[in-house]
Structures are given as C-alpha cells and as structure tokens.
Amino acid sequence: AQSVTQLDSHVSVSEGTPVLLRCNYSSSYSPSLFWYVQHPNKGLQLLLKYTSAATLVKGINGFEAEFKKSETSFHLTKPSAHMSDAAEYFCVVSRGGTYKYIFGTGTRLKVLA
Amino acid sequence: SQTIHQWPATLVQPVGSPLSLECTVEGTSNPNLYWYRQAAGRGLQLLFYSVGIGQISSEVPQNLSASRPQDRQFILSSKKLLLSDSGFYLCAWSGDSHNEKLFFGSGTQLSVL
C-alpha cells in the first residue's frame, strides 16, 4: 500500500535562508508524488507534482522537489524563504493507475523575520 | 470554469444525532470525488472516494458513510454521531485521468458535543 512520511512536524527558518521539508514515500508501484500547501484559513493549493517525467520538479513560488527513487524521497526545497511561505505543507502519494491520494501528516513551516 | 461547493461551513451537533454534508461540483463531468478529514497533527485522512455514480470506496472503517446519487454530488452521512467524529471535513474532486490535481472545497468544521 502507498504511504508517505513527513519527517518533521515543524520547521523554522529565518527569512532569506533555504527551506527543506522532508518526505519519504512507500509504494509498491511507480508513484506519483505531490506537494500541497495550506495557508491559515485558506484552502489547499498544489505546489508541484511528479509523474515519472523529470526527477527535478519545479513548482510555484520558487519551490522545487527532487524525486530520488533509491532513497524513496521527495523533499521540497526553496533557496530563500519568504514570510509569505509560512504555512502547512503536505506531501501526497498516489499509485499509478489508482485514484487514491494519500496525504502525509503535514509540516508546519515558520519563517522568522 | 470548474467550481466545488461544500456546505455547511460550520456545524455543531449533539452526540447521537445524524449528519449529512453535501458537496457538489460544477463545470466538469464524471469527476472523481473524495471526502477527507483533517485533524491537527494527522494530516488529511482519506475517508471515501468515488469514481462514478453509486461507486464508493471506503478507506477507513468508521461511523460514517458516503453516497453519490448524481454524477457531481457527493454526500457524507452518519446515522449517529460520536464525539470522535469532530473534525474538519474536506470534499475534493479530480479529473478522471490518473494522478491529477485535487481541487478542494472550503471545508466543514464539525463539532460534536
């Protein structure tokens, strides 16, 4: 069965420093992987998705993620954090050929001035 | 353009009372439909998904049920609510191709007292 593990429930960074949000997945088949962001009192927004094309995926707002099959990881990064990046981030996996999307437990990102 | 409507936004119900949350999608046909529950520290838990009218897949054994009486209507129900049913419920839809983006409704905050 598919699953995702977000290794950090909370991450704090200073504005202007890099962001790393970690995600490991488990899937018996070639997975598709996504990152969603949820700002306070707002809906969920897709940041980026990986669907077996290029392993380095670029998303919105300067975020990107790299699919590493050997490490079963799909970590989200951004070179320089902005105050507006403070939000909760969810890593999501779906197995190819299914319609099930399994969410991780989320990582709350705090950006310090 | 496609829109998703979910109501009510908030609901306070006594233990043992019934529940009906409704979700409708406009501007698309044959969507895949989903019910998720979001709890602090637990991410989004997939409750039910549906790939067509009358086709419901249950992911977690629980006190809830779902129905899809029309192509773009998805209903979450319970005959008798428990305290543990409290939470934030999100409806979502995706296209009928695999591994597509999820579009979320604005959610229902359910408090069972």
Side-chain angles (χ1 to χ4, degrees), chain A residues 32 36 38 94 99-101, chain B residues 32 34 36 38 99-100 102:
Chain A
S32 290
Y36 283 81
Q38 186 178 34
S94 76
Y99 302 101
K100 291 171 54 174
Y101 297 86
Chain B
N32 295 326
Y34 305 82
Y36 285 89
Q38 184 174 17
N99 307 319
E100 290 211 11
L102 286 167

Side-chain angles (χ1 to χ4, degrees), chain B residues 75-110:
Chain B
I75 298 172
L76 184 69
S77 304
S78 173
K79 292 182 178 178
K80 289 186 177 182
L81 283 168
L82 305 172
L83 287 173
S84 57
D85 292 323
S86 294
F88 189 59
Y89 291 82
L90 285 159
C91 179
W93 75 272
S94 71
D96 63 357
S97 298
H98 298 136
N99 307 319
E100 290 211 11
K101 173 182 176 179
L102 286 167
F103 296 87
F104 285 87
S106 53
T108 297
Q109 184 65 53
L110 172 66

Side-chain angles (χ1 to χ4, degrees), chain B residues 5 8 16-17 23 35 54 64 67-68 88 91 95 107 110 112:
Chain B
H5 302 280
S17 64
C23 173
W35 279 111
L64 301 169
S67 61
R68 184 171 178 173
F88 189 59
C91 179
L110 172 66
V112 182

Side-chain angles (χ1 to χ4, degrees), chain A residues 21-74:
Chain A
L21 304 183
R22 298 181 294 165
C23 173
N24 285 99
Y25 69 91
S26 172
S27 177
S28 303
Y29 299 83
S30 296
S32 290
L33 294 154
F34 309 77
W35 277 98
Y36 283 81
V37 60
Q38 186 178 34
H39 287 92
N41 301 317
K42 291 191 177 179
L44 284 132
Q45 180 182 23
L46 179 69
L47 278 177
L48 50 82
K49 71 175 182 179
Y50 165 77
T51 55
S52 77
T55 56
L56 182 62
V57 182
K58 293 187 183 298
I60 61 172
N61 300 334
F63 284 94
E64 62 182 36
E66 186 172 6
F67 173 73
K68 292 187 177 180
K69 186 175 181 180
S70 60
E71 299 177 9
T72 61
S73 69
F74 191 57

Side-chain angles (χ1 to χ4, degrees), chain B residues 2-103:
Chain B
Q2 304 93 347
T3 56
I4 178 168
H5 302 280
Q6 185 181 343
W7 67 93
T10 59
L11 189 60
V12 180
Q13 292 284 95
V15 170
S17 64
L19 173 74
S20 180
L21 302 182
E22 190 162 343
C23 173
T24 59
V25 179
E26 296 178 357
T28 186
S29 59
N30 196 33
N32 295 326
L33 296 171
Y34 305 82
W35 279 111
Y36 285 89
R37 178 167 58 202
Q38 184 174 17
R42 297 184 62 185
L44 275 71
Q45 182 185 31
L46 178 61
L47 302 176
F48 302 94
Y49 71 98
S50 170
V51 300
I53 295 174
Q55 300 179 59
I56 309 295
S57 295
S58 174
E59 289 301 298
V60 182
Q62 59 208 329
N63 186 41
L64 301 169
S65 62
S67 61
R68 184 171 178 173
Q70 301 180 46
D71 180 46
R72 290 170 289 178
Q73 184 185 29
F74 205 24
I75 298 172
L76 184 69
S77 304
S78 173
K79 292 182 178 178
K80 289 186 177 182
L81 283 168
L82 305 172
L83 287 173
S84 57
D85 292 323
S86 294
F88 189 59
Y89 291 82
L90 285 159
C91 179
W93 75 272
S94 71
D96 63 357
S97 298
H98 298 136
N99 307 319
E100 290 211 11
K101 173 182 176 179
L102 286 167
F103 296 87

